[in-house]
Amino acid sequence: MEEIEQPSRNNLEGLKGWLNPSRYGWERISYWFQRLTGVFLLLYFIGHVYETSTIVNGQNAWESFLELTQTVWGHLFLILVIGACTFHSANGIRLIFTHSGIGLGTPGRPDYPYSPSSLNYRQKSGIWIALILSAAAMYYGFNILFGE
Amino acid sequence: MNNTDSINEDKIVLKVYRENRGQKSGAHYDRFEVPYKKWTTVLDALLYVKSYNDPSIAIRYSCRMAMCGSCGMKINGIPRLACYTKISELETSTIECEPLSNFPIIRDLVTDFSLFFNHHKDIQPYIQSNEGVETDTEKKTFSFYQSPEDVDRYLQFSYCIKCGLCNSACPTAGTDLRFPGPQALAQLYRYYADTRDESKKRLDIVDDRHGIWRCHFAGSCSKVCPKGVDPALGIQLLRSYMLGISKDNKELAKKIEINTDKDNNSN
Amino acid sequence: MESHRILKESQIMKIHYVTGIAAIFVVAVHILMRLIVPFELSLEYDYIISNYKNIFYVLILESILVLVSVHGFNGIRIILLELRQSKAWENMITVVTISAMIALIAYGTRTIILANGL
Ligand code: HEM
Ligand code: HEM
Ligand code: SF4
Ligand code: FES
C-alpha cells in the first residue's frame, strides 16, 4: 500500500462524535449507551471487587465499607448499576446477533427513497426493548431498595 | 406571468465555513442571502454565491446529479451531497455548510480524500481470478456467467460513488485513522460476494486490531449514504462469514473462454 | 500484516462475545442471591461468609470474576485503540489492559480463598 507516512488528524470529529448521540437515529444512541454503560460497569466492577475484599478483614471492616452504599445516594447508585447492567446485557445480545449478520435483511436493489434494510424496525425494537427492560429493572430495584 | 412567487422571492441565509489549510486562526463563517425556489439545491445556492457575491469560495463538484461523489459536505451538521439536498427540504432559514468531518481541510469546503482512497485501495477493489486474467504473453480472456440472483448479492454495494459521507458520519473513523471505514469495508464485501472473484485472502485484510471489528454498528453510515448502499449491512454480513455463522458456499461463476486472436472485431 | 500476534482480532472478539453471553447467566445467579432473601439480610456478614463457604456459589463468583474481567478489559482495550494510533501507544494499551485484568482476577480470587477459610 502507498503509506501516508503521517496521516493528518486535521478535522477529525474525535470524542465529540463519540459523545454526541443525537443526529443519526436510534442505532447511534445504542452505540453511545452501550459504550457508556460498558465503561461505567467496568468502573463499578473494579470498585465492587475492592469493596468485597474488605470482608477478609472481619465484620467491622465489611460493615463500615458497606455504609457507603447504605445511603440514599448509594442506593440510587446501585439502581443505576442495575439499569446499566440490564441495558448493556440486553442490547449486547442484540449486537451479537447483528454482528453475526442476523436480523438485518438481505441485499437487494435499492429504490428511491432509500431506506437501508440494516436499520430496520427489528433493530429499533431491539433497542427499545433493552431500554424498557432496563427501566423495569430499575423500577424493581427501586422498590426493593426503597420499599417499606 | 403574474406569479407572485417571483416577486416575493423566498430567501435563505447561507452560512459558509471558510478556512485555508493550516490557518485555523483565520477560520470563520461568511453569510450570504440567496434566493431559492422549491427545486434549488444547496449546490445551486453555493454556485449562485460564487457568481454574484464571492467567487473565492472553494467547493468541489462535477456532475450535479449525485453521480460523481465530489460535492459531499456537512449541511446543517449532517454529511450530505450538496447537489442532492434541496433547500426547501431542509426547512431551516439558515443553512450551514461546512467541510466533511474526518477529512483534512484543504480550503473552505474542499477536503483531502487521500487517506480515504488509500483505505479503499487496501481492500483490493477489483475482481481477482486465478486464470481469467489477461496477460501479455497469453491473451486469454473469459466471459463470466452470472444469474440475476448472483448479481443481487453485490449490486447494491456496487452503487457506491466514493463520496465519503459514510466515513464522515462514522464515530470510529472520527478517531481511528487506521480503521478502513464503512466505505472500504462495504466494498470488501462487494467483491467477496461476487461470484467472479476467486480470492481466498480477502477476509484476512481486515482481520486486524484496526480492522472490521472496530465497527460497532452505530448505523450512521447507512443513515447518510445518498445511494442506498447500506454499508453497515455489508459490514455485518462480512463479519458473519468471519465468525463462521455464514458458510462460504459461493459457487464461482462459470467461465467461457473468448477467443481474442482475431483482433477484437468479432462482435 | 502483524502476523506475530498470538490471537487474531476475530478470535479475540469471539472471546468477547462468549464471555459477554456467559456473564449474563452467572451475574443473574449473583443478583438472585440478593433477592431470595430480604435484600438487607443478603448483605449481612454471616450470610456472605456462608455464601463464600458454598463451593458451588464460589465457583460462580470466580467465573463472574474471570468472565467479566476478560470482557470488560478487552472492551477498554478496544476503546483506547480507537482513540489514538501509534506503535508505542498500542503496545502500552495491550500491556496495561492485560496486566490490569490479571491483577483484578488475582485480587478477587484472593478474597474468595481467604473468605472461604474464615
Ligand atoms: C452480561 C452480559 C453482557 C453482554 C451480553 C455484553 C455484550 C457486549 C458486547 C456485544 C459488546 C460489544 C459492543 C460493540 O462492539 O459495539 C460489549 C462491549 C463492552 N462491554 Fe459488555 N456485555 C456484558 C456485560 C458487561 C459487563 C458486566 C461489563 C463491565 C465490566 C462490560 C463491559 C463492556 C465494555 C467496557 C465494552 C466496550 C464498549 C464498546 O466497545 O463500545 N460488559 N459488551
Ligand atoms: C447491585 C447489585 C449487587 C450487589 C448488592 C452485590 C453484592 C455482592 C456481595 C454481597 C458479594 C459478596 C459475595 C456474595 O455474598 O455474593 C459480591 C461479590 C461479587 N460480586 Fe456483586 N453485587 C452486585 C452486583 C454485581 C454485578 C453487576 C457484578 C458483575 C458485573 C458483580 C460481581 C461480583 C463478583 C465478581 C463478586 C466476587 C468478588 C470476590 O469475592 O472477589 N456484582 N457482590
Ligand atoms: S457507501 Fe454511500 S456514503 Fe459511503 S462513499 Fe459509498 S455512496 Fe458515499
Ligand atoms: S456534484 Fe457530483 S455528486 Fe454532487
Side-chain angles (χ1 to χ4, degrees):
Chain A
M1 116 170 182
E2 300 162 44
E3 282 279 0
I4 295 180
E5 272 311 320
Q6 202 87 97
S8 162
R9 297 191 83 85
N10 170 282
N11 200 30
L12 286 186
E13 191 149 51
L15 276 179
K16 260 189 278 167
W18 289 14
L19 296 174
N20 175 2
S22 63
R23 299 182 293 169
Y24 296 111
W26 286 101
E27 292 78 7
R28 184 69 170 246
I29 292 173
S30 140
Y31 158 84
W32 171 78
F33 216 39
Q34 185 74 6
R35 201 152 256 206
L36 223 59
T37 51
V39 174
F40 175 69
L41 284 172
L42 183 61
L43 293 179
Y44 168 76
F45 185 66
I46 295 170
H48 188 55
V49 171
Y50 178 70
E51 176 199 22
T52 48
S53 78
T54 58
I55 202 154
V56 303
N57 300 327
Q59 189 158 4
N60 288 340
W62 169 256
E63 275 166 7
S64 63
F65 204 98
L66 200 64
E67 273 167 24
L68 271 182
T69 50
Q70 300 297 51
T71 61
V72 171
W73 288 109
H75 278 177
L76 287 176
F77 175 76
L78 285 184
I79 289 169
L80 272 187
V81 171
I82 293 168
C85 200
T86 312
F87 176 83
H88 188 94
S89 309
N91 195 46
I93 295 173
R94 177 188 73 89
L95 282 172
I96 291 172
F97 277 110
T98 56
H99 289 187
S100 311
I102 297 166
L104 298 166
T106 43
R109 305 190 172 215
D111 259 327
Y112 188 82
Y114 306 123
S115 97
S117 87
S118 73
L119 309 181
N120 58 38
Y121 73 95
R122 264 172 295 176
Q123 297 309 320
K124 291 189 212 314
S125 13
I127 298 167
W128 294 328
I129 288 171
L131 285 170
I132 292 168
L133 282 179
S134 164
M138 284 166 82
Y139 177 73
Y140 184 68
F142 186 90
N143 278 344
I144 287 195
L145 288 167
F146 289 104
E148 259 96 292
Chain B
M1 286 269 142
N2 247 345
N3 194 337
T4 45
D5 269 8
S6 58
I7 301 160
N8 303 322
E9 245 177 358
D10 286 328
K11 292 200 166 176
I12 45 104
V13 175
L14 203 64
K15 205 174 140 195
V16 184
Y17 183 84
R18 311 296 305 271
E19 184 201 311
N20 253 334
R21 194 205 287 272
Q23 297 180 352
K24 264 261 170 288
S25 56
H28 64 281
Y29 290 88
D30 279 337
R31 290 163 164 275
F32 307 95
E33 218 178 43
V34 186
Y36 76 99
K37 300 279 194 189
K38 203 168 79 189
W39 53 83
T40 309
T41 65
V42 174
L43 182 62
D44 294 335
L46 282 163
L47 292 175
Y48 176 95
V49 170
K50 270 178 87 69
S51 305
Y52 300 108
N53 304 90
D54 183 349
S56 74
I57 295 176
I59 53 175
R60 183 165 48 207
Y61 73 100
S62 173
C63 69
R64 309 181 195 213
M65 50 191 285
M67 287 189 63
C68 71
S70 47
C71 67
M73 61 183 67
K74 252 190 329 188
I75 298 171
N76 286 353
I78 290 179
R80 306 181 218 244
L81 295 178
C83 70
Y84 194 55
T85 307
K86 284 202 219 91
I87 287 170
S88 53
E89 284 170 355
L90 287 171
E91 294 176 343
T92 51
S93 54
T94 304
I95 290 173
E96 194 175 78
C97 298
E98 294 166 306
L100 277 183
S101 311
N102 305 346
F103 291 85
I105 298 172
I106 296 175
R107 188 154 78 87
D108 300 344
L109 303 177
V110 179
T111 48
D112 184 351
F113 270 49
S114 319
L115 184 63
F116 175 80
F117 289 142
N118 265 17
H119 281 311
H120 184 226
K121 280 184 210 144
D122 282 349
I123 60 99
Q124 307 175 351
Y126 38 83
I127 302 276
Q128 294 174 27
S129 172
N130 294 336
E131 48 172 343
V133 226
E134 200 175 342
T135 59
D136 284 341
T137 44
E138 199 190 350
K139 284 227 153 121
K140 237 177 164 185
T141 317
F142 289 90
S143 168
F144 293 89
Y145 282 76
Q146 283 191 314
S147 66
E149 291 75 30
D150 290 340
V151 174
D152 280 347
R153 288 161 61 101
Y154 66 84
L155 183 73
Q156 160 176 359
F157 305 104
S158 70
Y159 288 152
C160 171
I161 56 172
K162 286 95 195 156
C163 64
L165 300 194
C166 50
N167 279 40
S168 181
C170 173
T172 305
T175 53
D176 192 341
L177 290 170
R178 293 184 55 204
F179 179 58
Q183 190 275 336
L185 289 171
Q187 290 314 297
L188 181 54
Y189 183 72
R190 178 248 172 277
Y191 288 97
Y192 182 75
D194 194 317
T195 55
R196 292 167 296 182
D197 188 72
E198 293 174 17
S199 170
K200 290 269 173 246
K201 299 197 196 88
R202 285 201 184 278
L203 299 186
D204 292 335
I205 306 174
V206 290
D207 195 356
D208 173 87
R209 33 161 95 139
H210 293 284
I212 190 166
W213 306 99
R214 298 295 83 86
C215 162
H216 305 283
F217 194 44
S220 314
C221 49
S222 299
K223 191 102 182 164
V224 298
C225 177
K227 302 302 283 184
V229 170
D230 199 353
L233 173 64
I235 299 172
Q236 315 314 316
L237 292 179
L238 197 57
R239 203 151 34 182
S240 156
Y241 287 99
M242 300 175 83
L243 289 172
I245 307 287
S246 298
K247 294 278 173 288
D248 183 6
N249 52 5
K250 177 167 86 179
E251 261 181 56
L252 293 180
K254 271 208 207 75
K255 287 188 261 186
I256 308 287
E257 191 171 343
I258 302 173
N259 197 344
T260 45
D261 288 347
K262 284 169 246 141
D263 268 338
N264 291 341
N265 45 17
S266 62
N267 229 337
Chain C
M1 215 202 285
E2 289 147 359
S3 52
H4 60 278
R5 300 258 151 81
I6 302 167
L7 290 173
K8 285 206 259 179
E9 196 66 23
S10 52
Q11 293 168 317
I12 298 179
M13 289 313 285
K14 279 179 199 163
I15 296 174
H16 193 77
Y17 300 145
V18 169
T19 50
I21 292 188
I24 296 181
F25 298 101
V26 279
V27 172
V29 173
H30 178 58
I31 305 242
L32 271 178
M33 287 301 273
R34 316 264 83 78
L35 301 176
I36 51 178
V37 294
F39 181 74
E40 298 300 330
L41 179 68
S42 82
L43 296 178
E44 257 169 38
Y45 184 76
D46 294 334
Y47 177 75
I48 294 165
I49 292 296
S50 74
N51 277 346
Y52 273 120
K53 294 202 188 284
N54 177 342
I55 185 69
F56 293 108
Y57 188 61
V58 161
L59 287 178
I60 290 206
L61 281 186
E62 183 66 27
S63 40
I64 302 181
L65 193 60
V66 173
L67 293 171
V68 176
S69 299
V70 170
H71 179 93
F73 283 105
N74 184 50
I76 285 293
R77 182 192 69 100
I78 293 169
I79 294 177
L80 295 174
L81 279 179
E82 287 175 8
L83 207 55
R84 199 132 66 83
Q85 296 78 48
S86 79
K87 271 242 144 56
W89 170 258
E90 293 179 20
N91 292 337
M92 198 262 282
I93 291 310
T94 312
V95 173
V96 166
T97 49
I98 292 181
S99 339
M101 181 183 91
I102 293 173
L104 192 69
I105 294 177
Y107 188 68
T109 309
R110 168 186 163 272
T111 310
I112 293 178
I113 292 173
L114 290 182
N116 182 258
L118 277 182

